Amino acid sequence: MFRISKRAEMKRTHQGLVRIAAILVSLVAMSGWIVAIGHNPLMVYKAMLDGCFGSTYRVLETIKYTIPLGLAALGVMLAFKMKFWNIGGEGQILMGAFAATYFALNFSDMPKTALLLLMMISAMIMGGLWSLIPAIFKVSFGTNETVFTLMLNYIALKYIIYLQYGPWKDPMAFGFPKIPNFSDNAILPKVFGLHIGWIILLLATVVVYVIFHHTKIGFEIAVIGESENTAKYAGMTVRRTVMKAVFLSGGLCGLVGMIQASAVSNTLTFELSSGIGYDAIIVAWLSNMNPMMVPLVAFLFAILSQGASFIQTAFQIPQSAAEIIQGMILIFALSAEFFIRYKLSLVDRSAKGGQHA
Amino acid sequence: MLSLIVFLHAAVQAGTPLLFATIGEIVTEKVGNLNLGVEGLMLMGAVGGFMAGYHSGSPLVAIIVAALTAMIGGWIYAFLTVTLRANQVVTGLAITILGTGISGFLGQSLVGEVLPKSFTNVFKPLSIPILNKIPFFGHVFFNQNLFVYLGFIAAILLTVYYKYTRLGLNAKAVGENPYAADANGIDVSRYKYAHILLGSALCGLGGAYLSLVYIPAWQENVTAGRGWIAVALVIFSMWHPSRAILGAFVFGGLDIVGFRLQELNISISQYLIDMLPYLVTILVLIFNSVRKDFVAGPKALSVSYFREER
């Protein structure tokens, strides 16, 4: 039958081809499924693309969704590269938005630039601190960070709901549970018709790339990811590196919260993130832990999400179809890794028997 | 006193989905596979069971379909992590995303629908004679519905399985040291597949309990993070199915404590009380990692097995 053996490292271009093949296979699988629910896949794909690029407004909307997704993926990647499974992006986004909102509401008469900077920095610190809690316990006692970060998502979510329905509720909103809108001072400016989040995303991409490839901490992150023991023997202070990198990871997610609150919803709502922290994990993984790939992958993902919400109205296909598709793409991409790492070869049993005889 | 009994009785019911999911995840982790897709598997079981029950009217069919639906998710997980040796953490997340999507998609047309009368009849409380006369605990544990008893039985059977049967001991060996197990002639892949499938079926039953008995109507995202709490409860119970019973019911209590406090006119925001299960989960995680006698679980947990690396 088949024999599985480990491969020497595959060429980068070949790796890329395998991954593209995985995405194509998932598109085919998706088509089968779209047929099964009674639609023409080509029409559905066309409608999805139309929903993303049909007008300038739609293109801007698609990019608008790329920004938080890409930034959060970069954040998540900083932790994932060390095999620190930060799935708390969602909570870090919300807590970052919370800090930014605090300043936006209470210091609205500050000069615009100063206020925006204050909001950004506070959001990054808050997001960073929120992720630092599990990191401290992880490095001190080996506490499981996956469940810890996830539980913090729920706590952050409940806390924001509490604020929205309780102490921060807008008294002018006729009893409607919403937090007051930001003043103009607290809203990110636009460049080329789009809020400056896109510039932040591109900058952050370069920064994370530089961190990974040209700094000491980036090198340490990579070594810890490969083997914590190697890092220890090499004399690295694993503890401190992990905490620093996780702080940065949460910080970037916190920044996402600030951008979403300031530029997109113009206030804090508990629906502010709605799954970006989780989608970011997929984006980070599909980018193969390469920051330069993140904006592109995030953009493809944004197309998927925007397209899915568009076909919901056009074909009455529920929005949750997008989740199924995302899950499927991830599953095929994970399967593709196998063909990158291992070689399948056909073993001729009879020939083998002949040798012994 | 009476209200405490009523509270604990309700806590057992709220804890039952956690119990199923926790022992399901224990079975999976015992063969060395960390499946973070519990939430997704529960949702798949919940929607599969509800659909089957809604259309067939038969509780038995509903339960079987719930287990089978979750096993499809479990099979995908097993294929990826055992055969293709994919990263277990990310595969688990993929299963959660997929399961959430599937339950949302299939459940779309079922929102607000209620199950036929046959369900309330089958899952009404059944007192167990003699045992239900035990003071205090009698009502709490032995005046429950069939599904709850099924949970007790499953947990106890698994305890016996891992302690006294050859299959159970072999399964443990696979999770502790697959290379040694393989050398002893244990078919590692087959053990992994079988236990991952069994574990997923149990997770699916946990989800089905929510949609078939606990609610019993369809609502979007019916699990609300319980799958993740189950992952933490595995650590809490130190991979012992019998200890999972305690953990699940404690967390079942936390799940409903909010309503009870409101009844007592204690004025804390509902939203803050809702944080309790998650907060306590974190405390449990920390507590378990700090204690000295803590067993960190199967030694080969979340490591893919590749024979040639022996």
Side-chain angles (χ1 to χ4, degrees):
Chain A
M1 272 267 291
F2 291 111
R3 212 185 87 88
I4 300 167
S5 54
K6 267 216 165 140
R7 239 185 231 290
E9 194 156 346
M10 202 188 228
K11 261 199 253 159
R12 285 221 132 182
T13 43
H14 287 184
Q15 288 191 16
L17 285 178
V18 172
R19 294 207 173 86
I20 290 169
I23 293 176
L24 289 180
V25 172
S26 41
L27 279 178
V28 172
M30 250 156 60
S31 310
W33 176 69
I34 292 171
V35 171
I37 56 174
H39 295 285
N40 178 347
L42 290 178
M43 298 286 283
V44 171
Y45 292 151
K46 192 179 159 292
M48 282 177 83
L49 289 177
D50 194 36
C52 299
F53 303 107
S55 65
T56 324
Y57 171 77
R58 285 181 189 161
V59 175
L60 288 179
E61 284 299 300
T62 311
I63 302 177
K64 231 190 209 171
Y65 189 65
T66 310
I67 296 165
L69 205 52
L71 268 176
L74 289 169
V76 164
M77 197 179 270
L78 280 164
F80 268 38
K81 193 135 185 186
M82 300 182 297
K83 303 226 163 71
F84 182 101
W85 305 109
N86 174 17
I87 46 178
E90 194 78 2
Q92 291 144 22
I93 291 171
L94 285 171
M95 293 313 280
F98 155 72
T101 305
Y102 175 82
F103 288 104
L105 296 181
N106 292 304
F107 297 85
S108 54
D109 43 5
M110 271 173 75
K112 183 162 179 144
T113 321
L115 179 59
L116 284 174
L117 278 176
L118 182 63
M119 286 164 66
M120 281 187 196
I121 294 167
S122 62
M124 290 181 78
I125 293 176
M126 190 67 213
L129 289 176
W130 198 246
S131 66
L132 200 57
I133 308 169
I136 290 172
F137 282 99
K138 168 82 176 178
V139 295
S140 309
F141 309 111
T143 311
N144 181 313
E145 79 281 12
T146 323
V147 180
F148 202 141
T149 48
L150 195 103
M151 290 295 124
L152 286 177
N153 288 348
Y154 286 103
I155 292 173
L157 180 68
K158 300 285 177 195
Y159 181 60
I160 305 296
I161 296 178
Y162 162 73
L163 290 177
Q164 187 174 339
Y165 283 78
W168 284 17
K169 193 164 113 174
D170 187 356
M172 317 291 279
F174 307 103
F176 188 72
K178 75 177 287 296
I179 293 168
N181 277 351
F182 291 1
S183 67
D184 281 344
N185 270 356
I187 292 175
L188 283 174
K190 289 182 175 179
V191 175
F192 301 132
L194 190 65
H195 70 80
I196 59 164
W198 66 271
I199 302 178
I200 300 177
L201 170 62
L202 295 179
L203 277 176
T205 307
V206 175
V207 168
V208 174
Y209 179 82
V210 170
I211 289 180
F212 277 168
H213 294 279
H214 299 284
T215 66
K216 185 162 160 262
I217 189 175
F219 177 69
E220 290 181 345
I221 288 173
V223 176
I224 292 172
E226 286 301 317
S227 158
E228 219 180 293
N229 285 333
T230 311
K232 273 185 197 143
Y233 294 142
M236 294 174 187
T237 41
V238 173
R239 241 182 98 93
R240 204 180 307 153
T241 308
V242 169
M243 293 205 302
K244 268 193 223 160
V246 172
F247 184 81
L248 281 177
S249 167
L252 268 179
C253 291
L255 182 61
V256 172
M258 180 271 170
I259 292 174
Q260 293 305 92
S262 162
V264 179
S265 58
N266 296 346
T267 183
L268 175 65
T269 86
F270 71 90
E271 286 157 325
L272 179 103
S273 183
S274 61
I276 289 169
Y278 301 106
D279 291 349
I281 298 169
I282 313 180
V283 172
W285 190 260
L286 292 178
S287 311
N288 197 29
M289 299 293 144
N290 175 0
M292 287 310 206
M293 287 291 291
V294 166
L296 178 69
V297 176
F299 185 62
L300 291 176
F301 234 70
I303 293 176
L304 206 60
S305 293
Q306 289 295 115
S309 60
F310 186 75
I311 58 171
Q312 180 175 28
T313 38
F315 292 87
Q316 271 84 48
I317 297 175
Q319 171 87 43
S320 42
E323 271 168 311
I324 301 183
I325 294 169
Q326 288 164 1
M328 273 173 33
I329 291 183
L330 187 55
I331 283 169
F332 283 107
L334 280 163
S335 317
E337 292 302 308
F338 173 76
F339 296 98
I340 290 173
R341 282 187 294 140
Y342 299 95
K343 199 157 63 183
L344 267 183
S345 39
L346 267 176
V347 175
D348 190 348
R349 287 247 162 114
S350 59
K352 217 174 170 184
Q355 268 179 359
H356 289 284
Chain B
M1 194 62 175
L2 187 68
S3 69
L4 184 63
I5 292 180
V6 172
F7 172 72
L8 290 177
H9 184 259
V12 168
Q13 292 185 352
T16 296
L18 290 172
L19 176 60
F20 275 101
T22 306
I23 57 177
E25 179 67 7
I26 288 178
V27 171
T28 310
E29 291 192 15
K30 282 255 191 205
V31 286
N33 280 63
L34 175 73
N35 187 353
L36 294 183
V38 183
E39 180 86 0
L41 295 172
M42 286 180 85
L43 281 167
M44 287 175 80
V47 78
F50 192 89
M51 273 183 90
Y54 181 73
H55 291 295
S56 74
S58 154
L60 185 66
V61 171
I63 287 178
I64 292 171
V65 173
L68 287 176
T69 321
M71 280 165 92
I72 297 173
W75 182 83
I76 297 175
Y77 172 84
F79 182 70
L80 283 167
T81 59
V82 180
T83 305
L84 300 184
R85 301 180 183 88
N87 180 299
Q88 294 184 3
V89 173
V90 184
T91 309
L93 293 176
I95 297 297
T96 290
I97 294 165
L98 189 73
T100 312
I102 289 176
S103 89
F105 185 82
L106 295 177
Q108 178 93 348
S109 56
L110 297 171
V111 175
E113 296 289 353
V114 183
L115 288 167
K117 197 117 190 103
S118 52
F119 279 81
T120 31
N121 282 335
V122 170
F123 295 125
K124 65 169 187 270
L126 286 173
S127 325
I128 295 186
I130 307 169
L131 286 178
N132 71 346
K133 294 286 183 294
I134 302 171
F136 194 78
F137 292 110
H139 179 69
V140 173
F141 290 110
F142 302 110
N143 247 332
Q144 297 285 5
N145 64 60
L146 210 58
F147 219 130
V148 174
Y149 297 137
L150 212 63
F152 294 153
I153 295 168
I156 293 166
L157 282 181
L158 282 174
T159 309
V160 175
Y161 175 72
Y162 283 116
K163 267 210 168 112
Y164 301 109
T165 71
R166 172 169 289 271
L167 283 173
L169 291 169
N170 284 350
K172 272 205 289 200
V174 168
E176 292 292 334
N177 188 343
Y179 298 97
D182 195 358
N184 272 309
I186 297 171
D187 188 337
V188 173
S189 291
R190 190 178 294 178
Y191 267 84
K192 281 186 178 248
Y193 264 93
H195 288 86
I196 290 168
L197 287 178
L198 173 64
S200 329
L202 287 167
C203 293
L205 290 180
Y209 177 84
L210 286 168
S211 64
L212 297 178
V213 185
Y214 195 64
I215 310 268
W218 182 252
Q219 64 187 46
E220 186 103 350
N221 212 351
V222 61
T223 49
R226 286 182 180 87
W228 292 101
I229 291 180
V231 174
L233 277 176
V234 172
I235 303 172
F236 171 83
S237 48
M238 299 215 277
W239 292 268
H240 291 303
S242 51
R243 285 191 53 167
I245 300 180
L246 175 71
F249 295 152
V250 169
F251 275 78
L254 286 173
D255 198 13
I256 55 170
V257 78
F259 300 110
R260 301 290 149 165
L261 286 182
Q262 274 189 337
E263 279 170 22
L264 298 173
N265 281 327
I266 294 170
S267 60
I268 310 173
S269 165
Q270 174 69 38
Y271 308 108
L272 295 182
I273 295 170
D274 282 348
M275 287 181 190
L276 262 177
Y278 310 111
L279 266 177
V280 177
T281 305
I282 289 176
L283 292 178
V284 165
L285 275 178
I286 295 173
F287 177 74
N288 267 338
S289 55
V290 172
R291 46 192 282 190
K292 294 244 158 53
D293 62 332
F294 180 66
V295 201
K299 288 212 178 55
L301 188 60
S302 82
V303 184
S304 306
Y305 174 61
F306 186 46
R307 195 183 234 179
E308 292 189 5
E309 276 173 358
R310 204 166 19 183

